[in-house]
Amino acid sequence: MTLAEQQAPSQQAALDRDWWRGAVIYQIYPRSFQDSNGDGIGDLGGIRQRIPYIAALGVDAIWISPFFRSPMKDFGYDVSDYRDVEPVFGTLDDFDAVIETAHAHGIRVMIDLVLSHTSDQHPWFDESRSSRTNAKSDWYVWADPRPDGTPPNNWLSIFGGSAWQWDSRREQYYLHNFLTSQPDLNLHSMEVQDALLDVVRFWLEKGCDGFRLDTINFYFHDKDLRDNPPLAPELRNANIAPSVNPYNHQEHLHSKNQPENLDFLRRVRAELDRYGAAAVGEVGDAQRGLQIMGQYTAGDELMQMCYAFEFLATDPLTAGRIAEVMTRVDEEASDGWACWAFSNHDVTRHTTRWNLTPAAQRMLCTLLMCLRGSVCLYQGEELGLPEAEVAFEDLQDPYGIQFWPEYKGRDGCRTPMPWEPSNQNAGFSSARPWLPVPIRHLHSTVAHQEDDRAAMLHHYRRAIALRHAHPPLAKGRHGGVRHDRDVVYFTRTHDGQEVFCAFNVSEEPAEFHLPPGTWTAIGEELGTATPAADGRVYLAPWQATLATRRAV
């Protein structure tokens, strides 16, 4: 029996409605986590098998990337049936077993829900493209060509080229912000909204605790299909798409980020509240991401959290950069709530992206657990895994194949989780994996690190435990994030307790002074520096100091 069957929505809502605030969420990319049936592809049975490992990390929830029925052109982000499991991942019964096992270990389950688009093999699209007069004719974004036959406007796809694809059956173009096989739904239609809310309820009834909402700011398009203006070269960045992608040459004013989205998000939130569930929305915008995050998480009627891209960028993570981003959050989203990550399934692993030493990895993990906001960790991050080098002939990601070799795609962060070194497949599978396991990863397996108390895995466990032990680090407000040369510092305050945090974000030693008052050092198990009696702290390269007191 699932959680939803055991508890009515009204009973669930009586649970801790704030469980998501400050939660540590572990992202699972199911294809690469654990294969339980020997076909070389990870699955729901493998996730269930590894729940005890996840519980030992101390995280509050897991986020499972898409496992719905799909032709897998974009590895699950192209959904052909929202209410069933792609057979390569298992069955609905397997999902129920994941829910039951995770809940038995005190872990909530969030799933990655893709509402902006479907697969072109979804029955909705089959019907919609069949004619201009069928019952679902307006369920997707269709438009006539310009008089010369070209697309209706200049909108571009994140995967390169025009965002419009010609369909000979309707003799119209359809919109696709991603692959041509991922047509955009028309959420201006209330019937589409209702159908998507039915999907939300379906998974909540199965006991799901919430969602990571993919591309949440892409739900609506400009009804008038106005052209996007060009973006000045000096304003471009590669936060959302690689620099070789012409997508970066536009200011995407009309193809996404529409004000009508707020009313739909209110409808989603109403469903979440009935079940005591929560959502983190992925905001994909290179120029206004934090502003949109502030809009989408303001008050109690919209999203609880939004997934921020600022620390997923290639920009070096300096003390000044951290302070700048957090100050902008205070300005743009003071009433909102961010969800921070350094790595995920779409970007180069941060160990490689920022060329981090083990000491830097450890300290940045500690920093992440101290920032105001919730936290997402990506599978293998806790092992300190570097990005894998994947040969062109082994590539699976259509994005990497499209832009090779200047951009090698996302397969380098999606290689299988290395569990133990008994074979070339690292305990992930008894068969050849869908992506090869790097030789380097065989020296950083879970089995290796379990027996080494100084290993990265244990540092992550200790850092998560510290966050849970000190409520200000999870739920507290902060007193403004500042920096003094290479040291970034701030305070977190909650329920009469204050925690002071300072981090030396550099390869050089630094000296720092705690604010006046009587402080008690914490976090020594994480290698933090202990202040002297006069409050002076000597920080080694990539070292933190943490202290607590009653709030003044």
Side-chain angles (χ1 to χ4, degrees):
M1 181 178 292
T2 67
L3 179 64
E5 292 168 329
Q6 295 170 15
Q7 297 178 317
S10 59
Q11 291 173 306
Q12 287 181 306
L15 300 174
D16 179 12
R17 299 176 66 88
D18 237 14
W19 64 264
W20 51 271
R21 192 180 297 275
V24 181
I25 304 164
Y26 186 80
Q27 183 195 353
I28 296 172
Y29 192 69
R31 291 184 70 88
S32 298
F33 195 59
Q34 178 67 67
D35 172 19
S36 70
N37 62 3
D39 65 357
I41 298 174
D43 46 46
L44 294 173
I47 294 173
R48 184 189 185 196
Q49 176 185 333
R50 296 297 185 178
I51 290 290
Y53 166 80
I54 298 168
L57 278 175
V59 300
D60 302 287
I62 55 175
W63 146 26
I64 308 175
S65 290
F67 52 83
F68 316 106
R69 277 196 179 265
S70 166
M72 293 289 156
K73 299 292 180 63
D74 192 23
F75 298 107
Y77 286 89
D78 49 327
V79 179
S80 58
D81 186 345
Y82 282 111
R83 299 169 186 261
D84 202 1
V85 174
E86 173 61 28
V88 75
F89 296 128
T91 66
L92 284 170
D93 287 342
D94 291 323
F95 177 76
D96 291 341
V98 169
I99 289 279
E100 181 181 1
T101 306
H103 287 175
H105 284 79
I107 298 171
R108 297 179 190 263
V109 178
M110 308 177 78
I111 63 174
D112 207 331
L113 204 52
V114 187
L115 301 182
S116 66
H117 56 268
T118 70
S119 165
D120 61 358
Q121 297 181 33
H122 197 292
W124 295 348
F125 189 68
D126 283 342
E127 183 173 353
S128 186
R129 77 191 313 184
S130 67
S131 72
R132 298 192 186 194
T133 58
N134 67 82
K136 292 184 172 58
S137 62
D138 67 342
W139 278 40
Y140 291 82
V141 185
W142 295 96
D144 291 327
R146 288 171 170 163
D148 62 358
T150 56
N153 62 30
N154 70 345
W155 296 352
L156 295 174
S157 162
I158 281 189
F159 282 89
S162 173
W164 296 95
Q165 178 68 21
W166 179 253
D167 185 85
S168 58
R169 296 176 222 186
R170 288 182 52 141
E171 296 188 19
Q172 286 183 306
Y173 285 94
Y174 67 82
L175 178 67
H176 62 92
N177 273 296
F178 301 92
L179 293 174
T180 58
S181 57
Q182 293 171 296
D184 273 53
L185 286 161
N186 176 24
L187 272 81
H188 289 289
S189 163
M190 293 303 294
E191 288 184 343
V192 172
Q193 290 190 30
D194 291 343
L196 294 176
L197 291 174
D198 282 343
V199 170
V200 168
R201 282 188 290 271
F202 175 83
W203 291 103
L204 292 175
E205 284 292 330
K206 291 189 73 63
C208 179
D209 299 292
F211 304 98
R212 183 263 194 183
L213 295 174
D214 185 67
T215 59
I216 193 173
N217 57 315
F218 283 77
Y219 289 172
F220 284 81
H221 65 284
D222 174 42
K223 279 186 173 182
D224 296 328
L225 303 182
R226 289 171 288 182
D227 280 354
N228 283 327
L231 184 67
E234 63 271 17
L235 297 178
R236 298 172 192 167
N237 66 62
N239 287 3
I240 305 302
S243 58
V244 296
N245 191 339
Y247 188 82
N248 291 316
H249 293 216
Q250 288 186 357
E251 186 176 3
H252 301 278
L253 290 181
H254 304 303
S255 52
K256 58 183 180 180
N257 305 333
Q258 299 305 292
E260 295 95 327
N261 203 19
L262 295 175
D263 285 336
F264 177 66
L265 295 183
R266 290 186 180 96
R267 298 189 71 193
V268 174
R269 177 63 183 267
E271 296 298 332
L272 295 171
D273 285 348
R274 291 182 62 236
Y275 293 83
V280 51
E282 179 201 26
V283 174
D285 193 274
Q287 278 72 48
R288 295 183 301 282
L290 293 180
Q291 178 185 355
I292 296 167
M293 181 186 78
Q295 292 173 351
Y296 286 8
T297 61
D300 297 323
E301 295 183 340
L302 298 165
M303 295 297 92
Q304 286 93 345
M305 309 170 273
C306 273
Y307 194 67
F309 276 77
E310 273 61 29
F311 296 144
L312 292 164
T314 55
D315 309 64
L317 200 63
T318 63
R321 170 73 175 154
I322 296 165
E324 173 202 358
V325 168
M326 299 306 290
T327 298
R328 286 176 55 212
V329 171
D330 287 344
E331 294 168 352
E332 302 278 6
S334 60
D335 189 36
W337 196 260
C339 190
W340 300 112
F342 290 156
S343 286
N344 71 13
H345 65 295
D346 280 336
V347 300
T348 301
R349 288 185 177 274
H350 70 277
T351 296
T352 299
R353 194 170 76 243
W354 293 327
N355 191 26
L356 301 176
T357 64
Q361 293 176 57
R362 286 179 169 84
M363 195 216 71
L364 290 179
C365 167
T366 306
L367 168 70
L368 190 60
M369 295 303 158
C370 294
L371 291 177
R372 180 179 180 270
S374 299
V375 169
C376 278
L377 304 177
Y378 179 52
Q379 65 184 50
E381 173 182 341
E382 73 278 15
L383 305 177
L385 296 184
E387 183 82 352
E389 284 289 334
V390 180
F392 181 78
E393 56 268 23
D394 291 324
L395 280 187
Q396 304 291 323
D397 181 18
Y399 209 174
I401 294 169
Q402 170 79 6
F403 288 106
W404 180 278
E406 286 77 13
Y407 173 65
K408 298 182 179 180
R410 302 165 294 181
D411 287 335
C413 66
R414 296 177 175 182
T415 54
M417 180 80 170
W419 295 101
E420 41 89 3
S422 63
N423 61 25
Q424 179 59 44
N425 302 334
F428 164 74
S429 177
S430 58
R432 180 179 178 179
W434 74 288
L435 283 173
V437 176
I439 296 296
R440 290 178 69 190
H441 288 189
L442 291 175
H443 302 288
S444 300
T445 69
V446 172
H448 278 110
Q449 299 197 29
E450 284 285 7
D451 296 331
D452 180 3
R453 297 296 297 175
M456 192 69 65
L457 172 60
H458 293 286
H459 183 89
Y460 268 75
R461 287 172 174 166
R462 289 189 286 265
I464 294 168
L466 178 86
R467 185 176 179 89
H468 288 145
H470 297 279
L473 298 180
K475 297 182 182 293
R477 62 185 184 276
H478 68 208
V481 179
R482 301 176 177 84
H483 76 104
D484 181 359
R485 288 165 292 187
D486 290 326
V487 178
V488 62
Y489 62 96
F490 51 88
T491 57
R492 302 291 309 279
T493 307
H494 179 73
D495 198 22
Q497 184 186 1
E498 186 175 12
V499 176
F500 178 79
C501 312
F503 303 85
N504 180 12
V505 192
S506 79
E507 296 287 351
E508 300 297 327
E511 184 178 334
F512 197 77
H513 284 79
L514 265 64
T518 302
W519 296 91
T520 300
I522 59 173
E524 293 94 335
E525 69 278 11
L526 299 173
T528 57
T530 302
D534 62 358
R536 183 172 299 179
V537 189
Y538 296 95
L539 295 169
W542 299 104
Q543 189 178 29
T545 186
L546 305 172
T548 186
R549 68 179 179 183
R550 296 298 298 172
V552 294

